[in-house]
């Protein structure tokens, strides 16, 4: 999931926007409130997101995030509960979500390129640019 996060950041930065990559252990609520777009990821762990991601999302749950764009992403073995729950929480805060990004197991170069394209899409959404690439 960390490799996915780095690739998403690379794709967004390639569009010329300022990006910040943080582990949820180091993130605070104002990081999300001050951002135009947020990508939060977690591997699927025992049919749920990682406890550290859940803890962070509990801190921002109920915050008005209207006008922001979000992305839920993660790796999985056989189910999508982690990304589904991240999406549900961010949507309940008013965030406009783009399609979840789920990669089976460890991402290879082809999957990391997909992550970069999704990062580019996320950046384009906040810059209100026409998106010319298909994800």
């Amino acid at each position: 999931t960390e490799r996915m996060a780095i690739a998403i950041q690379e794709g967004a930065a390639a569009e010329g926007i300022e990006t910040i990559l943080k582990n949820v252990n180091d993130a605070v609520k104002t990081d999300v409130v001050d951002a135009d777009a947020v990508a939060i990821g977690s591997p699927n762990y025992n049919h749920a997101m990682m406890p550290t991601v859940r803890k962070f999302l509990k801190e921002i749950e109920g915050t008005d995030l209207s006008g922001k764009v979000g992305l839920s992403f993660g790796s999985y073995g056989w189910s999508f509960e982690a990304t589904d729950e991240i999406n549900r929480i961010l949507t309940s805060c008013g965030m406009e979500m783009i399609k979840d990004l789920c990669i089976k197991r460890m991402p290879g170069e082809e999957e990391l390129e997909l992550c970069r394209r999704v990062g580019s899409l996320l950046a384009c959404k906040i810059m209100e640019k026409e998106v010319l690439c298909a994800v």
Side-chain angles (χ1 to χ4, degrees):
T1 306
E2 181 181 11
R3 292 177 71 197
M4 293 174 69
I6 292 167
I8 291 166
Q9 180 190 29
E10 290 169 352
E15 295 296 332
I17 66 165
E18 179 184 345
T19 62
I20 299 170
L21 181 64
K22 282 195 174 185
N23 185 297
V24 291
N25 294 321
D26 302 322
V28 293
K29 182 177 178 176
T30 55
D31 292 330
V32 175
V33 171
D34 294 343
D36 294 318
V38 177
I40 297 180
S42 175
N44 217 49
Y45 175 75
N46 289 334
H47 301 288
M49 68 181 86
M50 294 296 290
T52 53
V53 177
R54 178 172 301 289
K55 180 180 181 258
F56 177 70
L57 288 173
K58 282 284 184 198
E59 292 174 21
I60 66 170
E61 203 165 22
T63 304
D64 182 10
L65 301 176
S66 301
K68 299 180 186 303
V69 179
L71 168 67
S72 171
F73 69 94
S75 56
Y76 70 98
W78 54 85
S79 59
F80 303 107
E81 292 89 355
T83 51
D84 288 347
E85 185 66 4
I86 293 167
N87 191 318
R88 185 195 66 73
I89 291 168
L90 295 179
T91 299
S92 74
C93 293
M95 194 173 280
E96 175 192 347
M97 301 297 288
I98 62 174
K99 183 179 176 185
D100 294 348
L101 176 60
C102 300
I103 304 289
K104 190 158 188 170
R105 296 189 175 81
M106 179 73 74
E109 190 49 45
E110 186 176 314
E111 291 85 5
L112 292 174
E113 184 55 36
L114 174 61
C115 293
R116 290 181 194 98
R117 289 195 314 264
V118 171
S120 174
L121 173 66
L122 192 63
C124 290
K125 290 285 275 186
I126 64 172
M127 295 186 310
E128 296 183 359
K129 287 174 52 178
E130 181 179 344
V131 179
L132 300 176
C133 61
V135 177

